[in-house]
Structures are given as C-alpha cells and as structure tokens.
Amino acid sequence: MSDSLVQEVAGKLFADLVPPKLVNDAEAGDFPAALWQAVNDAGFPDALAAAETPGSLAGVPDAAAILREAGRHAAPLPLAETMLARWLLAGAGITAPDAPLTIAPAERAGGLLLHRAGKGWRLAGRAAGLPWGKQSSGIVAIVDGRVALLAPKAADLRPGRSLAGEPRDDLSVDAEVEVKPAAAGVDAALVYRLGALSRAVMMAGALEAVLVLTVQYANDRVQFGRPIGKFQAIQQQLALLAENVAAAGVVASAAVEAASGQGDLAFAVAVAKARVGEAAGKVAEIAHQVHGAIGFTHEHRLHHLTRRLWSWRDEFGVESEWQQELGRLAAARGADGLWPLLTGW
Amino acid sequence: MSDIFRFDPLTLPPECDALRGEVRGFIAEERASGRWRGESDFASSHSPDFSGRLGARGWIGMTWPKKYGGRERSFLERYVVTEELLAAGAPVGAHWVADRQSGPLILRFGNDSQRQDILPRITRGECFFCIGMSEPDSGSDLASIRTKAVPVEGGWELNGRKIWTSNAHKAHFMICLCRTESVDAGDRHKGLSQLIVDLKSPGISIRPIKNLAGAEHFNEVLFESVFVPGDRMIGQPGDGWKQVTSELGYERSGPERFLSSFRLVVEFMRRIGTSPDPRDAEAIGRVLAHLATLRRMSLSVAGMLQKGETVNLEAAVVKDLGTNLEKEIPEIIRLVARRGRSPNHSDMMEEALAYTVLNAPSFTIRGGTREILRGIVARGLGLR
C-alpha cells in the first residue's frame, strides 16, 4: 500500500473507533481491547516489522502514516511501542506475542543490564516511565546490542500516568529472560531515536487535529455579534498556530523520509523532535486561549489532544535534549561545516 | 488539514549538486581574494563589481531565455545559487531586486523592446533596479498610493513621491506602481499601473534616509513632472495590481527570508569551538532545528513554483516563520554569548550580533509585514 492509502485506511479506522468516551475510559484505566483487536486485525502493529531484511527501516513510512493518524485521533494504545517491539523481536528472531507490547528503556540513559546466569540470561535494573507497562503482554528490552523479551508478571511495575492519562510505569526487574542478538545496526540509541520519531509523528497528527478544531470553534463561536474568527486579534493568533502546525508536519515528514534510508537519521530525528516539540507547546497554548473556558473543561475534547502534546513533547527526549545533541553534532563539524550540514541532510 | 496548506517534499535534482559545487568554488576564490566579508542579509551590501563577476558566471537571471541573456536553468538551480551566496554573506545587494523581481516581471508582462533592452544588461550585472511601491501615506495599504501618471504626447507624466525605496540612489531603474486612473471606490485595485522609470530622468530627486543602524539603504524619491516614454509601461495600463501580486510567491518564500541572521550563527559557532558547553550547544541546536525546518519548507515552495503552482499562502507561511526566526536568533545567541564577556571584546561575532540586533526590526516589515502575512494565512484558513 502507498503511504497515503495507509494513512487513509488508518484515519478512517481511528475516526470510526475512537470516540471521546473511549479516550476518557482508557484514561480511567479501561484498556480499549476492541480497538486494539481492530488495529491488530488491520496489521498496524506489524507495519515496522513487515520489512524482509531484519532490522530494516523500510517500514518506517507506513508506520509513520499510521501513527500520525493515531495521534490525530488521540488513540489510546501502545501502538508505537508495539511496532518497535515487534520490529526488534523480528530482527532478533524471537517470536513476538500477538498482543500489545512495550519497549524498555524509554529513556536515553538506560538503567537496565543483561548478565549471564547459567546457560541463560538475566535482565536486571530499573527503567522509569515505561509506556503501557502493566497493560502490555511483553516488555522488549534492548541492552548492549541484545534483545530481551520479559513477561510483565516477572517484573515489578509501579503504575504511573502521563499528563495525558496514558500508563507510564516504573520498572524494576531481576528476572530470567529470553535473549538474542539484535539485528545488525540496531542498538538502544537507534531505538531511542525511533521512539522520538514516533512521538514527533504522533504530535504532527495531533497538531493538525488541534488546528481543525480551533478554526472550527473560531468560526462557530459568536461574540459581539460575529464569529470570534472575524476579529484580527484571533486571526493573527490562529495564523501563528497554523504556521507551527505546517512546520511540524513538514519536519516530521522529512524525518520519516530520512529514517527510511534516504538521509541522515540522527540529524533528522533530532531536528524533528526539537522543532515539533516547540510547535506543540505554542499550538496548545493558542488553541486553549482561542477556545476560552469551554476548552478548559473535561467535557470538551480539546484536552485529549493538548494533554497528549504536553506529554509526548517530553517523552523520548525533551526539546532541549535534542537541541543539545544537534548543537554538539554541528559544533563538531566546525563553524564552516554548518552550512554543508544544513544543505546535506 | 493537508488541504489547507501544501508543502510537497522535494529532492533537489542531481544537476543542483554539481552547480552547488561550482558556486562553493566561486565563493572560495572570492574569499581567498579578500574582496568581501559580508552579512547574510541581502540588503546589507551593494557591490557592482561582485554583481559583474556573478553575471559573468551566468548566475544572474539564470532562469531566463537565452535570447535575453539568461541560461534557461531551472528555478531550483537558481535557488541553490541564491542560498549559497546568502549563507556565505556574498554582496548580492546590487543586482538582488533586478534578478529576483524586476527581471521576472518584465519577462512575464513586459513588451519585447523592454526585454531586449533591459534583461541582457541585468544578466551581465550592469543594470540594477529598485521597487517603487510604498509612499508616505501608503505602506501595507498599497492600493491607497497617490503617485500619478497622466498621458502626454509620447508617454506619461509622473508626479508623486515614493519612500523606503531600497537602493534607489544606486539603481538605474525603478519599477514604479502608480495611478493611471483616479480611484474607483468600488474597486481600489483598478487603475494602477507599473512604469519602468529611468532614475536619471529630469525631475527626479532622490534623498537617502539614514536608518537606525546609521546606514543609508532606503530613500525618498520625488517625481516632479517626470516624462516616461510610452513603451516603458509594463503590460497594459490598469494591470498594475494583478502584476504586483502575481509574483509574491517568489518574493516571500526564498532563502533570504530565513538566512538574514545566518552569519551570526556561524560566527557564534566559531567562538564556541568544536566542544561547546551544554548551554551553547542547546542554543545552536535550537536555531539549527528551525533553520533546517524552514529550508525544507522554502525548498518545497520552490519546487511547487518550478511546477507553476500558486503558492502565495505557503509563501506567506515561510516568510512569517522565517523572519520571526531571523529576529529570534540574536535574542537566543546574546543570552549565551553575553556570559562573562569582557567589556572590550571585539571580534566578528560581536560585529555580527550588533548588525543583527540593529537590523532585526526591518526583517518582519520589508516585503510585507508580519501582520499582513498572518492576514493572508487567516484568509487561507477560511476566517476572512
């Protein structure tokens, strides 16, 4: 399927199956099993693992098209995590459980170690903010170029939630695990970058949804005898909002293209996570201001998107983390290397 | 959402890589000769000698037909030349307006004698233009201009006043937007025309206006019974508004809309070296993420222009985001660069920072103010 067809199919599925009530229920702790079943039947969680070569990133465009739609509809599922987990397992030749999965660590500096125990391996240590840990059927860890599959029951998971009410659990583990070498070229740094890319793409989708909602509201809401969108003060803010949404969309797509083998993945992902994260804050701020009090209520669905933006921009590296990485990467090439870097990615 | 804006991804064709190499070679030679060391702000420089050397390379009017001195290269190739020159701080100011705007306008709407007379001279880097739009009482509200041309034997008699005209004192011609009919209250855009005015004509006085940075780039231009020959009308009388607005995509989406502060970034990087501390690295990274994004957006618009598509909305997006970044760069860098600075510190970075802080106010005014651009975007969103 072409990317745009994948996007269309995914968009329709999420539009039909993710009403606001489902998002609220998921945030209250009900895992949306029927939605997961539909998503799984559509093959979405295998989008990344579908590539024939182990560890290949050829599936990134399809995966990204699906995640952009998941973000647009605030679909409360460990979809990015399961995609990455199945891709890691497939690359390592471990059979993946046919269920929601998650990956560890979701932080840059992982606190997990693998060590030999008799003929097998043990995974030990801690990892904070594990997405959907307790609601997953398997935790896939990548440590020192090795992939381990851990059953959540064998670990101690302290439940937590993100600003968006999505499960983010603290993992503490010392358990025997199944371990295989990761596919060539796959390591924890790459997985972290792909995690950051997933959040950039999900934010790009959510940002587009916020723009549509906010323009609609500005056209519908009447004050002083006319729609508030007719006031220049509102128009100027909405233009700024829209421009940031456009920038986020362009840079997220550029990073997807780079990650699927046509460019500098490390540079492109750092640029995308830093820039989209900045757009997320600005856009959410303006959207709430335009919506006024109604947008601050739990009843209105704007917060399904904005709380995800606030949460996702912090995950897999806050903007400043990626900015520092970019700055170091650029500085290492020297002042006169900056322009070739900008024109060469 | 994707139906509101379109930013098609673009991969530059291979011929652009070879050309980029040639331009970098040219810039390296120029630098080695010590002829210039400039700002990346297109408005900062004026070097007829440099324009002549660039013209000799075939890099002015390079997209135009060969019969008018052009090289029939693509718009994307022109983009590559332009961005390389701006990033290097090359002194492009003399030919800038003629190359970007006046030449293409004459090519598209002008008559053949205008084309044959003027375009080859532009491509050789010998003929410079300025844009006569703003007037003392007409800034963003361009349709309110009052400079007037009335028909006389053999041509037009021009009276009025233009202001903020960059490089009028150094240009050979102005494309002057004027009224050739009195205002029609029902359609203010009617009755406007564009004349090519030879700035050596009797009756023209040009007064430079010093800007807050102490430089004299822009001018007030007074027309007192100036005769303009009839064949210097661009298009038909009354077509002025249509012509002026048709080229906004080119004017608003180019690399000059996000690179004006680029030299400051480079000089700051030179100061902090190859192993910067975290705060310096973060400042550079923040700027870099924006620059990389804007270049993608700007290139995307260039690709759509190459295909002949209308991109006025996308161009407004690029210009607003890009010029905001140009202003934000000195604000980001000064916060880190000012730490522990010795009072007598003087170097290239200090020079670039001073230039950028002082000139930043112009970045979001020239070529369409931020407020006008956001109005265009709001219209694109269906709000007006």
Side-chain angles (χ1 to χ4, degrees):
Chain A
M1 275 196 277
S2 73
D3 299 351
S4 59
L5 187 56
V6 170
Q7 184 154 0
E8 202 182 312
V9 169
K12 182 155 187 346
L13 186 148
F14 291 124
D16 290 347
L17 300 182
V18 190
K21 181 178 183 310
L22 180 137
V23 181
N24 286 332
D25 290 350
E27 292 180 8
D30 296 344
F31 185 80
L35 174 63
W36 174 263
Q37 193 57 53
V39 162
N40 202 38
D41 290 348
F44 294 169
D46 293 311
L48 206 50
E52 288 179 7
T53 320
S56 156
L57 291 171
V60 166
D62 278 359
I66 294 164
L67 290 174
R68 197 151 167 162
E69 293 309 310
R72 187 188 314 278
H73 296 280
L77 291 175
L79 189 50
E81 293 77 6
T82 308
M83 284 176 175
L84 281 166
R86 290 195 185 169
W87 170 76
L88 276 171
L89 292 172
I94 302 174
T95 306
D98 186 20
L101 304 173
T102 190
I103 50 163
E107 304 164 285
R108 184 179 288 262
L112 296 173
L113 292 172
L114 273 175
H115 57 87
R116 284 263 182 206
K119 285 183 179 169
W121 292 84
R122 288 189 81 81
L123 179 69
R126 293 168 185 281
L130 195 66
W132 305 88
K134 264 183 128 51
Q135 298 189 331
S136 73
S137 300
I139 299 165
V140 177
I142 175 142
V143 182
D144 299 332
R146 290 191 176 84
V147 174
L149 177 58
L150 170 72
K153 271 176 274 176
D156 178 26
L157 282 161
R158 201 153 49 98
R161 293 208 171 253
S162 72
L163 295 176
E166 293 187 337
R168 298 291 184 264
D169 306 332
D170 289 340
L171 167 78
S172 172
V173 64
D174 185 359
E176 198 169 316
V177 284
E178 183 181 1
V179 170
K180 292 268 178 67
V186 174
D187 60 12
L190 176 61
V191 173
Y192 186 70
R193 288 196 171 98
L194 293 174
L197 178 59
S198 77
R199 292 305 186 263
V201 166
M202 289 153 68
M203 283 193 279
L207 285 165
E208 287 163 355
V210 169
L211 171 62
V212 171
L213 267 185
T214 310
V215 168
Q216 184 67 50
Y217 183 78
N219 278 327
D220 292 347
R221 170 72 171 168
V222 174
Q223 288 289 278
F224 305 103
R226 46 183 169 151
I228 60 169
K230 296 289 174 201
F231 291 99
Q232 289 201 3
I234 303 289
Q235 290 176 357
Q236 295 276 308
Q237 289 301 301
L238 285 178
L240 191 56
L241 183 161
E243 290 168 11
N244 272 279
V245 173
V250 167
V251 76
S253 297
V256 167
E257 189 189 303
S260 53
Q262 295 155 60
D264 183 342
L265 182 146
F267 180 80
V269 168
V271 165
K273 189 63 167 61
R275 182 62 186 93
V276 179
E278 228 179 283
K282 190 154 275 179
V283 166
E285 195 273 330
I286 296 172
H288 275 290
Q289 187 64 24
V290 171
H291 274 85
I294 194 73
F296 191 58
T297 63
H298 191 266
E299 187 186 344
H300 197 281
R301 60 170 289 225
L302 177 62
H303 68 89
H304 287 159
L305 298 162
T306 53
R307 285 189 298 118
R308 276 168 180 75
L309 290 171
W310 292 323
S311 141
W312 293 340
R313 67 179 174 165
D314 285 354
E315 294 178 357
F316 293 100
V318 69
E319 294 94 275
S320 54
E321 183 185 312
W322 291 108
Q323 288 161 354
Q324 277 187 29
E325 172 154 321
L326 270 178
R328 280 193 299 268
L329 190 149
R333 299 181 183 213
D336 294 321
L338 179 63
W339 181 245
L341 180 64
L342 264 174
T343 52
W345 66 297
Chain B
M1 164 57 226
S2 45
D3 47 354
I4 299 176
F5 300 124
R6 258 189 70 196
F7 285 95
D8 298 348
L10 175 92
T11 308
L12 285 171
E15 63 267 24
C16 286
D17 293 338
L19 178 61
R20 190 185 299 283
E22 282 175 50
V23 180
R24 285 183 181 173
F26 168 74
I27 289 167
E29 279 171 34
E30 287 275 317
R31 275 185 168 155
S33 73
R35 288 186 183 117
W36 48 263
R37 192 202 75 209
E39 297 297 337
S40 43
D41 175 5
F42 65 92
S44 69
S45 60
H46 194 280
S47 168
D49 288 347
F50 178 81
S51 296
R53 293 195 293 278
L54 204 63
R57 295 272 177 153
W59 291 337
I60 301 178
M62 60 191 282
T63 62
W64 308 345
K66 286 183 178 160
K67 63 176 170 175
Y68 301 128
R71 305 296 169 114
E72 300 182 5
R73 309 288 290 255
S74 71
F75 189 72
L76 295 174
E77 289 174 297
R78 180 185 179 273
Y79 189 99
V80 166
V81 171
T82 309
E83 68 169 354
E84 288 293 328
L85 294 174
L86 288 172
V92 295
H95 65 269
W96 185 261
V97 164
D99 176 55
R100 182 187 69 187
Q101 219 157 328
S102 313
L105 188 79
I106 291 168
L107 186 64
R108 184 159 170 203
F109 299 111
N111 59 45
D112 208 54
S113 89
Q114 291 164 4
R115 293 179 187 152
Q116 284 181 2
D117 176 30
I118 291 169
L119 298 182
R121 287 194 273 161
I122 293 178
T123 64
R124 290 195 298 270
E126 297 168 4
C127 177
F128 309 135
F129 272 70
C130 60
I131 303 168
M133 291 201 197
S134 294
E135 296 183 7
D137 293 324
S138 305
S140 292
D141 182 11
L142 189 57
S144 71
I145 58 159
R146 292 200 292 252
T147 295
K148 198 170 165 80
V150 295
V152 293
E153 174 75 36
W156 301 85
E157 187 183 280
L158 188 63
N159 280 286
R161 196 184 291 269
K162 293 288 172 185
I163 201 165
W164 321 132
T165 316
S166 292
N167 290 327
H169 57 323
K170 294 174 177 173
H172 303 97
F173 295 100
M174 170 193 284
I175 293 185
C176 177
L177 185 70
C178 56
R179 285 222 153 267
T180 45
E181 290 166 50
S182 43
V183 183
D184 175 345
D187 184 356
R188 302 162 68 236
H189 299 152
K190 273 171 75 175
L192 295 169
S193 303
Q194 287 182 300
L195 286 171
I196 302 173
V197 181
D198 185 335
L199 291 170
K200 287 187 295 295
S201 309
I204 297 180
S205 33
I206 300 174
R207 185 176 68 86
I209 303 171
K210 193 183 275 192
N211 68 25
L212 66 82
E216 292 179 348
H217 295 149
F218 53 30
N219 298 270
E220 183 173 37
V221 182
L222 182 65
F223 303 103
E224 292 170 300
S225 302
V226 175
F227 175 73
V228 182
D231 65 359
R232 286 295 165 86
M233 171 70 65
I234 302 179
Q236 296 302 311
D239 284 351
W241 187 262
K242 183 191 79 189
Q243 290 167 185
V244 159
T245 51
S246 71
E247 304 281 323
L248 291 179
Y250 292 89
E251 192 191 334
R252 290 184 168 159
S253 64
E256 73 272 26
R257 300 309 184 186
F258 60 92
L259 285 178
S260 299
S261 308
F262 188 70
R263 182 168 94 92
L264 173 58
V265 185
V266 173
E267 295 304 336
F268 177 63
M269 286 184 66
R270 216 181 295 289
R271 180 188 279 192
I272 63 178
T274 52
S275 308
D277 76 27
R279 275 192 69 187
D280 289 344
E282 194 175 311
I284 287 298
R286 183 168 168 209
V287 169
L288 187 48
H290 280 272
L291 283 170
T293 305
L294 275 157
R295 182 167 176 276
R296 284 279 166 154
M297 299 177 86
S298 169
L299 264 178
S300 161
V301 175
M304 293 193 282
L305 283 169
Q306 173 72 33
K307 286 189 265 175
E309 294 173 30
T310 304
V311 291
N312 286 355
L313 175 61
E314 286 77 7
V317 170
V318 170
K319 183 169 186 287
D320 190 28
L321 285 174
T323 53
N324 281 339
L325 173 66
E326 291 180 336
K327 288 175 95 163
E328 207 173 345
I329 284 173
E331 298 303 309
I332 292 169
I333 288 182
R334 61 176 276 280
L335 290 180
V336 281
R338 283 287 173 264
R339 287 176 296 154
R341 170 176 162 267
S342 64
N344 294 324
H345 207 102
S346 171
D347 64 12
M348 307 250 282
M349 199 218 78
E350 294 295 332
E351 254 179 60
L353 182 56
Y355 177 89
T356 312
V357 168
L358 291 174
N359 285 278
S362 70
F363 298 166
T364 50
I365 298 171
R366 61 187 184 191
T369 65
R370 165 200 290 167
E371 288 69 26
I372 290 293
L373 296 170
R374 290 186 188 171
I376 293 170
V377 175
R379 195 182 304 280
L381 294 174
L383 293 166
R384 13 188 342 170

